Amino acid sequence: MKVDGTQYRSIWFDHDANDVKIIDQRWLPHEFKIVALESLEEFAVAIQEMWVRGAPLIGATAAYGMAMQMARDPNDRSIDETWSYLEKTRPTAINLRWALNRCRDALCKIPPESRAEAALNLAHEIADEDVETNRRIGLNGLEIIKKIAAGKTAGDPVRLLTHCNAGWLATVDWGTATSPMYHAQESGIPLHVWVDETRPRNQGALTSWELGSHGISHKYIVDNAGGHLMQHGLVDAVIVGTDRTTASGDVCNKIGTYLKALAAHDNGVPFYVALPSSTIDWTVHNGVDEIPIEERNEDEVTHIMGKTDNGSVANIQVSPDGTPGGNPAFDVTPRRLVTGLITERGVCEASAEALARMFPENAN
Ligand code: MRU
């Protein structure tokens, strides 16, 4: 998508410099910085410390990390060690393991001298596929938005609510939850998006930055406002992303998603989850019991980063000195609260049967 009129992806291979470039998301929305990832350690830190973030982008970054390592050491042991080293960086988003498995399975079948080139081509393939998958998710989600718009007085906006950032920054391009929004905007459907702040890391600021750059009407709201807005009929649908969806349709996403789903259910507001099939964990059936929830550093809760009045970016403490912070980064929304899953193949209900029909080649 565009930043100040220039087309970007969130990650790309710089052929001139022969390195991988990313948008360093730690500084957004206040500063736009591009950095090169030059060692395996840097790839791991970039994922762990959220220079890159969002399940599909984490997967693509890991694939490029494997490619970089294959150029240095293409031996069998290096494949396994790189897999284990990168896989540990974030435990919840399944796209990380999906991408690493795909790399390992392909690379171990070919001779070491061919691995560097093959791994880089595979990383490009994973990145390009993600872009096309998200474009398709957008077209499928657009049909939902069109139906809502058809029930409104002409000119009245379709009012959506989203949580976290499941935008182009969280994928390679388009985003998952935001792709239907960008497609609706291109189709001339008036939209208004309520953007949850999403404490502690405030990914809503990233979503607002994206939507603002594309001229989509939106408001940045505190996480606790969603229930009130739904009660007052100000939300037509919720669309969120996911870090891992079970084979039976339970949805794990950024902490606070579950509360939005409960409020949506109580108020008869449809709750959609947009996801590429790479986010489905076909080995897991009960999301609450089986998905590991990342517990991040308490500093992310006790402190907050933002722009000061003099324009500099600073990190300040919000809690009393010595107060411990708790920081579970994700929660699970049970399938009964999900109206539909918007995938690259179409929209289906959140159930084992519907997912198996949509992706028969993956279902057990
Ligand atoms: O901790 P983050 O910022 O990586 O969490 C991101 C999310 O929870 C997104 O909603 C999810 O990865 C879907 S991204 C298309």
Side-chain angles (χ1 to χ4, degrees):
M1 302 296 285
K2 289 200 168 137
V3 179
D4 293 335
T6 304
Q7 187 73 29
Y8 281 95
R9 284 183 174 187
S10 58
I11 188 166
W12 64 97
F13 186 74
D14 181 338
H15 290 275
D16 296 331
N18 197 33
D19 60 23
V20 174
K21 296 280 188 331
I22 57 160
I23 297 170
D24 185 345
Q25 300 188 26
R26 286 172 300 168
W27 306 101
L28 286 173
H30 307 299
E31 291 171 17
F32 182 74
K33 293 188 187 179
I34 292 169
V35 296
L37 300 179
E38 287 166 345
S39 66
L40 186 60
E41 291 70 31
E42 276 184 5
F43 275 88
V45 170
I47 297 172
Q48 165 70 46
E49 300 300 324
M50 294 170 65
W51 307 7
V52 290
R53 39 151 300 285
L57 176 57
I58 291 170
T61 306
Y64 277 111
M66 178 66 88
M68 197 224 56
Q69 195 57 15
M70 287 300 101
R72 292 179 183 186
D73 177 1
N75 287 315
D76 287 358
R77 214 175 75 189
S78 170
I79 299 177
D80 289 338
E81 285 175 357
T82 306
W83 188 99
S84 308
Y85 183 64
L86 290 175
E87 201 267 343
K88 279 199 230 3
T89 51
R90 293 199 73 186
T92 303
I94 195 64
N95 302 60
L96 176 59
R97 201 191 309 155
W98 169 86
L100 287 169
N101 282 349
R102 188 162 156 183
C103 294
R104 183 175 62 185
D105 293 351
L107 295 172
C108 67
K109 291 193 191 100
I110 57 177
E113 61 276 15
S114 309
R115 284 177 183 161
E117 193 186 344
L120 187 57
N121 286 337
L122 187 51
H124 292 330
E125 194 177 299
I126 287 173
D128 289 346
E129 258 178 41
D130 185 63
V131 178
E132 176 56 13
T133 295
N134 297 328
R135 192 184 69 82
R136 286 172 188 273
I137 288 171
L139 293 173
N140 293 329
L142 173 62
E143 296 308 311
I144 293 170
I145 295 178
K146 275 186 183 163
K147 277 195 196 114
I148 299 171
K152 286 182 166 277
T153 308
D156 281 359
V158 173
R159 298 151 312 169
L160 302 171
L161 183 143
T162 193
H163 190 72
C164 195
N165 172 258
W168 73 266
L169 290 167
T171 63
V172 180
D173 207 354
W174 284 111
T176 57
T178 56
S179 186
M181 299 172 194
Y182 293 129
H183 281 89
Q185 163 92 344
E186 279 180 9
S187 308
I189 299 173
L191 281 186
H192 180 77
V193 185
W194 301 107
V195 181
D196 283 351
E197 177 181 40
T198 318
R199 273 283 280 151
R201 288 292 291 250
N202 298 7
Q203 285 93 336
L206 303 178
T207 306
S208 295
W209 181 77
E210 284 192 19
L211 296 177
S213 303
H214 291 85
I216 297 182
S217 163
H218 64 283
K219 269 191 183 159
Y220 185 69
I221 55 171
V222 296
D223 294 320
N224 292 328
H228 165 79
L229 295 172
M230 292 184 216
Q231 261 178 344
H232 288 268
L234 296 170
V235 180
D236 296 310
V238 178
I239 310 182
V240 298
T242 169
D243 291 84
R244 195 187 297 215
T245 290
T246 68
S248 55
D250 293 341
V251 170
C252 181
N253 191 46
K254 181 53 55 192
I255 193 77
T257 304
Y258 171 46
L259 288 176
K260 293 297 132 64
L262 284 171
H265 189 253
D266 195 44
N267 290 285
V269 173
F271 184 93
Y272 290 100
V273 181
L275 69 150
S277 53
S278 51
T279 304
I280 303 169
D281 186 344
W282 296 98
T283 68
V284 160
H285 293 267
N286 183 321
V288 175
D289 290 348
E290 296 177 72
I291 296 179
I293 300 296
E294 179 178 13
E295 187 75 32
R296 292 188 62 87
N297 197 301
E298 62 179 312
D299 291 357
E300 293 184 346
V301 176
T302 57
H303 291 64
I304 193 164
M305 200 175 92
K307 190 158 76 171
T308 63
D309 288 344
N310 69 17
S312 58
V313 175
N315 201 29
I316 57 162
Q317 182 181 318
V318 284
S319 58
D321 287 346
T323 299
N327 192 6
F330 300 94
D331 61 24
V332 173
T333 298
R335 55 188 169 273
R336 69 187 161 81
L337 300 176
V338 178
T339 308
L341 302 173
I342 308 171
T343 78
E344 68 268 29
R345 292 203 187 156
V347 181
C348 70
E349 73 176 22
S351 72
E353 298 72 27
L355 277 170
R357 273 195 303 276
M358 191 71 89
F359 300 99
E361 72 279 23
N362 293 319
N364 300 314

